Amino acid sequence: MSRDLNLTAMVHFEATARLGGVTRAAEELGISASAVSQQLRALEQQMGVQLFRREGRRLVLTLDGERLFQASTGAFRTIRDVRAAIQRQRQAHLLSIRTSPSFGVRRLARFAESHPDWDLRIDAAPDFSDFETESVDLDLRYGIGNWPGLVAEPVLNDLVLPLCAPGYLARLRAECGPDPADLIRAARLIDSAKAHLRWDGWVARMGIDGVTLALPYRFDRSSMSIQMARDGMGVVLESATLAMAELAEGSLVPLSPAFEVLEFPAYWLVCPTRQRARRAVRAFADWIGAEAARHTAEARARLTEAGARIVSVDM
């Protein structure tokens, strides 16, 4: 007998013996009955023994066939059990997330790096998920936390203040002096169009009059607004949460410590109640919560070092 066992023929044999016939085996395997019969003949030829005998219209295992079946069905059962366990494990580590590009690009890569065995799918589409029609486990949403019928857990706060490049700030001070209100009046203002707190609302909160809100630069992505300010093209009203890298490297600085940093919940972990119970969702929620706490502490410390005062506000 050849040392190389025909495993395809063994699969067909085990199915035929377990199900009690060629037709049923063919249905399970998704092939024709003639293909199963051909594999059975090939296996008998390879083994050099008869594995089945016919009794009327029934196939009955011979003694050799019974011995081979007991060995093969146990082995295939073990393989099926292991396959099912692997699939369950993979399902437990399968996570589909929708998030804003500004948040996702800068943070979720760290989760992927620390969980290399996870199957992580990140969707940066601008619209919120429809959990009833889309295969999405959870959203990381930017908003005020009011989404009826969904669990919304605050994850990360915005820490909003005017930011600009150091060189641009030096030119402003040379032009109009150190008065904070004059700095705003003279600045070219960069608008993050989808931010909750924009220039008109901020100016009103600060009680600054005479500000021209022409807003020559307007972007629908915070990352683009931040980059424009980094390039020295004006002052952006943005969150230190998103501009942490630029603040750390010094390419962006607060416009003036006289302006309070406004803090409010802005990023939320959102999903249906049924999804929140999934192990993968719980694990990610724990990770993002710890990551957010670390990031917020760092942002607050950096702003405090720059002389800024942080105040909590309602939006």
Side-chain angles (χ1 to χ4, degrees):
M1 183 181 71
S2 170
R3 292 182 180 178
D4 297 325
L5 190 63
N6 186 335
L7 291 179
T8 300
M10 284 296 303
V11 170
H12 290 68
F13 164 76
E14 190 273 341
T16 301
R18 174 167 45 84
L19 297 172
V22 170
T23 301
R24 291 180 180 176
E27 291 174 353
E28 178 179 281
L29 298 171
I31 58 175
S32 67
S34 61
V36 174
S37 296
Q38 183 178 356
Q39 289 293 331
L40 295 179
R41 288 194 296 270
L43 183 61
E44 287 182 328
Q45 184 176 4
Q46 184 185 37
M47 299 286 292
V49 296
Q50 185 179 356
L51 301 174
F52 293 97
R53 68 175 183 273
R54 283 200 172 274
E55 292 184 358
R57 301 181 63 180
R58 296 174 56 245
L59 281 180
V60 179
L61 287 166
T62 64
L63 180 59
D64 290 327
E66 182 65 34
R67 293 170 60 194
L68 184 61
F69 171 67
Q70 291 300 327
S72 63
T73 196
F76 283 127
R77 186 185 306 112
T78 299
I79 292 171
R80 285 191 292 268
D81 290 345
V82 170
R83 181 182 65 181
I86 291 172
Q87 289 175 335
R88 286 194 300 270
Q89 181 72 12
R90 182 178 179 275
Q91 184 65 25
H93 288 172
L94 173 63
L95 191 63
S96 179
I97 302 170
R98 179 165 291 173
T99 182
S100 67
S102 297
F103 188 94
V105 170
R106 290 171 178 256
R107 287 168 182 82
L108 297 187
R110 287 196 287 274
F111 182 82
E113 290 172 359
S114 60
H115 297 77
D117 58 330
W118 281 53
D119 187 351
L120 185 64
R121 302 172 188 177
I122 301 174
D123 179 358
D127 299 324
F128 293 153
S129 299
D130 182 343
F131 290 103
E132 299 305 317
T133 62
E134 299 181 84
S135 297
V136 178
D137 293 311
L138 56 89
D139 277 7
L140 277 168
R141 294 186 180 180
Y142 181 68
I144 60 174
N146 182 24
W147 295 285
L150 298 173
V151 177
E153 178 181 332
V155 172
L156 193 63
N157 289 355
D158 261 347
L159 295 158
V160 176
L161 72 164
L163 300 167
C164 63
Y168 187 81
L169 178 57
R171 291 195 297 273
L172 278 180
R173 285 175 172 168
E175 176 184 337
C176 61
D179 183 70
D182 286 342
L183 293 177
I184 289 293
R185 295 186 185 102
R188 184 187 296 113
L189 304 182
I190 300 169
D191 184 32
S192 292
K194 292 187 177 180
H196 288 309
L197 184 58
R198 298 174 65 183
W199 280 114
D200 55 350
W202 184 87
V203 167
R205 280 178 179 269
M206 296 296 147
I208 304 174
D209 56 14
V211 178
T212 301
L213 295 173
L215 305 176
Y217 299 130
R218 180 172 297 173
F219 301 96
D220 67 350
R221 292 286 184 270
S222 291
S223 57
M224 298 172 69
S225 300
I226 290 169
Q227 184 61 49
M228 183 65 77
R230 188 177 186 275
D231 291 341
M233 299 304 294
V235 178
V236 66
L237 183 66
E238 261 299 347
S239 175
T241 300
L242 296 180
M244 176 62 70
E246 290 76 12
L247 286 167
E249 68 187 14
S251 58
L252 286 181
V253 295
L255 180 66
S256 170
F259 297 127
E260 296 171 333
V261 179
L262 305 182
E263 182 175 15
F264 52 90
Y267 293 91
W268 305 76
L269 194 66
V270 181
C271 65
T273 303
R274 65 180 184 275
Q275 295 289 70
R276 195 63 179 84
R278 279 196 61 210
R279 189 192 320 176
V281 172
R282 293 199 308 271
F284 180 80
D286 291 343
W287 179 88
I288 198 68
E291 180 76 2
R294 181 197 62 77
H295 185 88
T296 299
E298 182 180 349
R300 286 173 176 157
R302 194 168 297 280
L303 292 171
T304 300
E305 288 174 5
R309 188 168 72 90
I310 302 170
V311 296
S312 297
V313 297
D314 295 324
M315 293 299 294

